Amino acid sequence: MSPSATVVIPTHNHGETLRYAVSSVQAQTVQDFEILIVGDGAPDVTRRVAGELTRNDPRIRFFDFPKGARYGEEHRRTALASAKGEYVCYLCDDDLWLPSHLRQMQELLALADLACSADVAISPTGEMVCSAFDLNNASDRDLLREGLSGFGLASGAHTLNAYRRLPYGWRTTPADTHIDTFMWQ
């Protein structure tokens, strides 16, 4: 049976935080998922951690690519070619999700092809910063189109069918553009 969610975790040099990011996926209230860890020239420590994770959970696959252009966006496209989930969520290798993230994304994606959640960050000084982007708001969508605002990778999700209908999908981002914004555009 196919999983409902595919979780893509791009990684390069955050081997020690990767295990925590993956643990936050494994703690989700929705448990029928697959995790695709996409290595972009990952050093030995990241490869070692990814190996441990794949040995301990059959839902996890590690794609060990050499360093690609920019942030290895093309590797994400290659990994997604084998995705089996109905919807795709992204998590950075040094970020965490709250336990209801996949369920909330699943609910949003029942109504749309692209969704995003609010983002909460804690600064090194302990300050909590929340940012929300509303895809239902025309002015927010305009800002995204113009590249002036958007939402981060760990906040974004889309249906796999919508992704497969795109003319390109993930590809190398122009140097003057943020990679997540480029994809969401």
Side-chain angles (χ1 to χ4, degrees):
M1 185 163 141
S2 293
S4 63
T6 295
V7 177
V8 175
I9 304 176
T11 190
H12 172 64
N13 62 352
H14 288 129
E16 291 306 320
T17 59
L18 177 61
R19 71 179 74 252
Y20 299 106
V22 168
S23 290
S24 78
V25 178
Q26 293 168 317
Q28 293 295 299
T29 57
V30 170
Q31 284 291 301
D32 61 327
F33 57 77
E34 65 178 344
I35 299 173
L36 308 181
I37 300 173
V38 182
D40 178 33
D44 289 342
V45 65
T46 303
R47 285 214 245 28
R48 180 180 47 76
V49 169
E52 291 170 13
L53 294 166
T54 59
R55 282 190 297 280
N56 293 329
D57 190 332
R59 299 172 295 182
I60 302 173
R61 289 185 279 160
F62 177 52
F63 296 80
D64 190 9
F65 294 106
K67 181 68 183 114
R70 295 233 30 214
Y71 293 96
E73 299 95 326
E74 305 241 351
H75 300 326
R76 298 173 196 187
R77 182 178 67 228
T78 302
L80 277 172
S82 69
K84 298 176 185 135
E86 294 175 38
Y87 61 100
V88 179
C89 296
Y90 297 90
L91 181 61
C92 298
D93 57 3
D94 60 351
D95 286 342
L96 305 172
W97 282 339
L98 295 173
S100 61
H101 184 79
L102 285 179
R103 181 184 51 75
Q104 291 171 342
M105 292 291 97
Q106 187 175 36
E107 290 171 6
L108 289 170
L109 291 168
L111 305 170
D113 284 332
L114 177 65
C116 65
S117 64
D119 183 44
V120 177
I122 300 173
S123 74
T125 61
E127 178 186 4
M128 189 176 344
V129 179
C130 181
S131 60
F133 185 90
D134 187 351
L135 285 165
N136 288 316
N137 182 321
S139 61
D140 279 357
R141 288 193 311 270
D142 288 343
L143 290 171
L144 177 63
R145 278 187 205 98
E146 295 168 20
L148 301 174
S149 183
F151 50 96
L153 188 68
S155 300
H158 54 76
T159 64
L160 186 58
N161 284 335
Y163 179 81
R164 290 189 170 151
R165 289 192 313 264
L166 293 173
Y168 301 106
W170 283 102
R171 58 190 168 144
T172 302
T173 305
D176 61 342
T177 306
H178 192 274
I179 62 168
D180 306 336
T181 300
F182 189 64
M183 178 59 192
W184 307 141
Q185 290 171 327

